[in-house]
Amino acid sequence: MPEDRPPCPPFDRDAALLKVQAAEDAWNTRDPERVALAYTPDSVWRNRDVFLEGREEIVAFLTRKWERERDYALRKSLWAYDGDRIAVRFQYEWRDAEGRWWRAYGNELWEFDEHGLMRRREASINDMPIAEADRRIRGPRRAHERGIDIPLR
C-alpha cells in the first residue's frame, strides 16, 4: 500500500496552497529522484510537447532538464482547486549553456490519487529571453515570501 503524501484530496484552499508550496520546494531542489516521489509510479505527464509515463521517465526527463536549465529557480501560484484537482500557474528562470537568461511562463493541471500522489500532470510552457538585470527569481522562496503571488510579467 502506498504511503500518503499529505495533504490528500479532497482539497480545500489551505490544503491546495500547501500542495503547491510543497511542489515548488521540491522542484527547487533540482533533485529528480526526490521530485518523482510525489508522483504515482504510473503517473502520466504532458510537458510542452513531451509525453511521459511513470517515475523512471520522469526522473530521466528532469535529469536532462536540469542539466540544460542551469541555475533553475521556480515560483508557483495556486490558480484553482476542486476535489482531487489543482491548477497552478508558474514562472521559472534559468540560464542556458551560452549564459543567456530565460523566464518560462506556464500553467499546470494536476490530478491526485487518494494518497496525495499526483497521477496526472499537464503543463503548457512558453520561454522568453530576459536580460540578467531583469531577473527576479533567485533561488528558492524565502519563508517571508510564501503566499505572495507571482506577477503576470
Side-chain angles (χ1 to χ4, degrees), residues 71 73 93 101 103 130-139:
D71 300 318
E93 294 176 355
W101 283 95
R103 182 175 301 129
I130 60 171
E132 185 171 4
D134 293 332
R135 289 184 59 214
R136 62 174 179 242
I137 304 173
R138 299 177 185 269

Side-chain angles (χ1 to χ4, degrees), residues 25-115:
D25 292 344
W27 280 66
N28 275 324
T29 68
R30 294 176 280 194
D31 179 344
E33 296 286 342
R34 177 179 171 186
V35 172
L37 291 175
Y39 301 89
T40 62
D42 61 349
S43 184
V44 293
W45 280 27
R46 180 189 58 79
N47 194 92
R48 301 176 193 246
D49 60 346
V50 176
F51 295 84
L52 308 169
E53 186 169 340
R55 285 184 181 159
E56 286 184 27
E57 289 186 15
I58 292 169
V59 168
F61 172 83
L62 292 174
T63 299
R64 290 187 307 272
K65 172 185 178 62
W66 289 321
E67 287 171 354
R68 184 179 66 256
E69 296 178 0
R70 301 169 182 189
D71 300 318
Y72 173 98
L74 166 74
R75 297 292 182 271
K76 291 185 182 280
S77 291
L78 176 65
W79 187 259
Y81 62 91
D82 184 44
D84 63 352
R85 295 180 177 168
I86 296 175
V88 300
R89 62 187 193 93
F90 63 88
Q91 294 174 27
Y92 64 86
E93 294 176 355
W94 56 282
R95 182 178 50 84
D96 65 21
E98 288 76 39
R100 293 176 300 225
W101 283 95
W102 299 84
R103 182 175 301 129
Y105 293 90
N107 302 295
E108 292 177 311
L109 303 175
W110 299 344
E111 183 179 82
F112 294 86
D113 73 4
E114 66 276 11
H115 301 285

